[in-house]
Amino acid sequence: MTDEELETSLDQAARWLRVSKRVCVLTGAGVSAESGVPTFRASDGLWEGHRIEDVASPDGWNRNPTLVWNFYNARRANVKSVAPNSGHYALVEMEKRWGDRFCLVTQNVDGLHLDAGSVNVLEIHGSLRQTRCLGCGEVTNRGLDPLSDAPECPQCGDRLRPHIVWFGEGLDDVVWSAAMVAADECDALLVVGTSAVVHPAASLVPIARRKGATVIEINLTPTEASAYADVGLYGPSGVMLPKLLQRLAPV
Ligand code: OAD
């Protein structure tokens, strides 16, 4: 897209946002790419280097939990070494404008939106920072310090797994219901840095669109969500989100 087309699209997106009473944002791995967190489906992405069925499925876990823990410990170490970027921070500023009428739904498990200071965040795929006990079910925040490759529950001694949604598993009902409400009720949906191929997360886009929300896509390239988008801002989210924020008048 030319510079002129981009300016026009940014102005249009900002106009729509300014008149929106409720705003929902759906983010994916792309929003953290400029922080140094690998995405999944890029040629050098996580799913090129690891088999989903080995490290992100219940079968993989049952076959070799040590391998799974090694994978998540490496991801935890990666996130410990990075920081939120200007895209995360622009979303923090946007939330201040709409307050509790702003909901940030993220597929990311890196916790960088919370580190940046976003408040109303729904981590629909779980968090790298949390473990869940296979015995007592307790979910605990562990931060990002290294865990062993066979961690045990401090409460009951049973095995711990990453509190991450794997392929073939359902999302947490409460968190997912809140995400659907946010998409259903918003006047504008920002879809940022996601290939929009993983469901049910990606279905938030048609849910919002069907209810008449304006859909604004920010990505390096068009995606599965583009068919629903009223406007696309194609470039890095660490650049596009601050540019969009700049165009929103102060509260
Ligand atoms: P993907 O790896 O599928 O897609 C990342 C998207 O980010 C692509 O569309 C890229 O074009 C875009 N992108 C990359 N760098 C960007 C940048 N700097 N600015 C803007 N966009 C950029 O990651 P997700 O869509 O997040 O689920 O994947 C969805 C889910 O699939 C993940 O949550 C994960 C994975 O399997 C689970 O693990 C449950």
Side-chain angles (χ1 to χ4, degrees):
M1 105 189 280
T2 66
D3 285 355
E4 203 176 316
E5 282 166 347
L6 177 59
E7 290 300 310
T8 307
S9 298
L10 278 163
D11 288 342
Q12 180 62 72
R15 270 198 296 278
W16 277 322
L17 278 174
R18 278 200 298 266
V19 297
S20 294
K21 293 201 170 56
R22 287 183 180 275
V23 172
C24 179
V25 184
L26 172 66
T27 65
V31 82
S32 294
E34 288 152 86
S35 292
V37 181
T39 62
F40 294 94
R41 293 174 179 79
S43 55
D44 55 352
L46 279 177
W47 293 159
E48 284 302 313
H50 298 88
R51 283 156 42 99
I52 290 177
E53 53 273 37
D54 286 342
V55 297
S57 79
D59 283 351
W61 168 257
N62 290 332
R63 272 198 306 273
N64 192 345
T66 304
L67 177 80
V68 174
W69 264 118
N70 286 338
F71 173 70
Y72 286 98
N73 274 329
R75 289 182 68 192
R76 289 158 55 81
N78 164 242
V79 173
K80 192 172 159 62
S81 71
V82 304
N85 64 58
S86 47
H88 296 106
Y89 289 116
L91 290 171
V92 175
E93 293 309 310
M94 286 189 198
E95 180 172 18
K96 289 181 186 162
R97 181 186 176 103
W98 282 277
D100 59 9
R101 290 173 290 116
F102 183 98
C103 183
L104 174 41
V105 181
T106 188
Q107 301 165 83
N108 298 346
V109 294
D110 55 35
L112 291 180
H113 287 301
L114 292 168
D115 282 352
S118 287
V119 179
N120 193 12
V121 180
L122 299 172
E123 295 181 309
I124 58 175
H125 287 166
S127 172
L128 278 175
R129 301 169 194 231
Q130 294 176 329
T131 57
R132 187 164 81 240
C133 176
L134 293 176
C136 67
E138 184 83 1
V139 174
T140 310
N141 284 317
R142 304 272 154 191
L144 293 167
D145 287 336
L147 293 169
S148 85
D149 60 15
E152 289 176 359
C153 178
Q155 265 80 272
C156 73
D158 212 325
R159 289 189 305 154
L160 296 175
R161 62 164 276 178
H163 188 47
I164 303 261
V165 179
W166 287 328
F167 285 88
E169 295 185 318
L171 275 53
D172 179 276
D173 277 345
V174 174
V175 178
W176 176 242
S177 299
M180 283 202 296
V181 169
D184 190 67
E185 292 184 344
C186 71
D187 304 301
L189 174 72
L190 266 173
V191 186
V192 189
T194 177
S195 57
V197 294
V198 171
H199 288 266
S203 65
L204 294 176
V205 186
I207 286 175
R209 192 75 190 82
R210 266 200 298 275
K211 291 301 276 294
T214 301
V215 176
I216 300 164
E217 175 169 59
I218 297 182
N219 201 300
L220 296 182
T221 57
T223 69
E224 294 293 311
S226 306
Y228 302 99
D230 294 280
V231 65
L233 307 173
Y234 296 111
S237 50
V239 175
M240 294 299 144
L241 283 166
K243 276 183 188 285
L244 189 55
L245 174 67
Q246 244 176 23
R247 282 166 171 77
L248 301 175
V251 187

